[in-house]
């Protein structure tokens, strides 16, 4: 875990959502207006940025999480769980009021699917003012889960100003994940050195494959950026600064157990590999391989 990383090693920071997932595992998805007995039920910390921190920590990367927390037992649970994995939670912002976002997840054991009912709560997201307290010299990579785009753009601009005053080896790499097809989030695609787009976003624009989406959306990223799109069982594609497409097949497990957080696992594994200096092809393959392992286990423990 990250807690055992070498002292003084620069960290990876993930900015975005942490929530509580209440996961009910059933043999098959229940019919409407029925009474079904669960095979198991558990609380699990969730949220894209939060999950990616879990995976980074399990892979051995020193990492930190930044996001909003509400008062109460649920927030205490997720904060304790971040610390259990060795994730630095010093930048988690305790809001004075509100409810922690929560998801009810119905997981089908027979099909490996998960159906999510999300209650967003009423917590404000972290702001650019909150981000001013982050010591950028401690980080080599900062990843944003696209949410409150205006505030996040201001955070990225602060990192860009920091990078302008530093030699190449001390600059912070910037990545952005745009998952939801919301118009106000799209400008964030132009701000990342590495940009992850979801299958849902690609299909929203009418693209039928990852490669097609990368070709069609490349104009939205900055020159020199890398654009990445995972496509579930079809694997993932990426387009580097030279415009060349690279592809990795998926690595499905023998038995599909739990796909919740597979995309967050892929993103984290790719970031981990790129931050270690791996090639885009190797990082993409590593991301698909670790995401495949995750789909074969319950939760995240056991991906390495």
């Amino acid at each position: 875990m990250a807690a055992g990383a070498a002292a003084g090693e620069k960290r990876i920071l993930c900015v975005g959502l942490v929530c509580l997932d209440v996961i009910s595992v059933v043999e098959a998805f229940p019919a409407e207006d029925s009474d079904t007995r669960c095979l198991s039920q558990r609380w699990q910390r969730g949220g894209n940025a939060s999950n990616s921190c879990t995976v980074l920590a399990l892979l051995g990367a020193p990492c930190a999480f930044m996001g909003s927390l509400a008062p109460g037992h649920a927030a205490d649970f997720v904060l304790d769980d971040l610390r259990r994995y060795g994730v630095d939670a010093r930048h988690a912002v305790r809001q004075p009021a509100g409810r922690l976002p929560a998801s009810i997840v119905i997981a089908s054991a027979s099909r490996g699917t998960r159906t999510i009912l999300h209650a967003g709560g009423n917590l404000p997201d972290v702001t650019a003012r909150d981000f001013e307290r982050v010591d950028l010299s401690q980080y080599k990579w900062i990843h944003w889960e696209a949410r409150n785009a205006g505030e996040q753009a201001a955070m990225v601009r602060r990192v860009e100003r920091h990078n302008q005053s530093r030699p190449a080896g001390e600059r912070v790499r910037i990545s952005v994940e745009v998952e939801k097809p919301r118009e106000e989030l799209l400008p964030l695609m132009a701000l990342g050195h590495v940009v992850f787009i979801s299958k849902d976003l690609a299909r929203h624009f009418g693209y039928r494959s990852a490669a097609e989406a990368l070709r069609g959306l490349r104009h939205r990223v900055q020159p020199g950026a890398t654009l990445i799109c995972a496509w579930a069982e079809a694997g993932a594609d990426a387009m580097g600064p030279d415009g060349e497409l690279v592809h990795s097949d998926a690595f499905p497990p023998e038995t599909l157990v739990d796909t919740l957080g597979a995309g967050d696992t892929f993103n984290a594994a790719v970031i981990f590999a790129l931050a270690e200096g791996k090639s885009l092809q190797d990082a993409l393959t590593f991301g698909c391989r670790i995401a495949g392992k995750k789909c074969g286990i319950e939760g995240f423990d056991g991906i390495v």
Side-chain angles (χ1 to χ4, degrees), residues 110-164:
S110 60
R111 302 193 62 181
T113 61
R114 82 288 185 276
T115 302
I116 303 172
L117 305 173
H118 185 66
N122 54 357
L123 276 185
D125 284 305
V126 292
T127 65
R129 177 171 290 185
D130 296 323
F131 190 72
E132 287 292 333
R133 294 192 283 271
V134 176
D135 180 0
L136 297 180
S137 69
Q138 299 299 307
Y139 296 95
K140 61 182 178 181
W141 193 300
I142 302 180
H143 174 70
W144 278 269
E145 168 196 351
R147 294 183 61 79
N148 52 335
E151 292 291 329
Q152 291 182 326
M155 298 179 205
V156 173
R157 286 194 292 271
R158 180 181 173 228
V159 178
E160 290 173 339
R161 291 192 297 271
H162 168 86
N163 284 346
Q164 288 170 3

Side-chain angles (χ1 to χ4, degrees), residues 26 50 59 67 69 110 162 164 208 251:
V26 294
S50 162
L59 291 172
L69 287 174
S110 60
H162 168 86
Q164 288 170 3
R208 295 168 294 179
F251 294 85

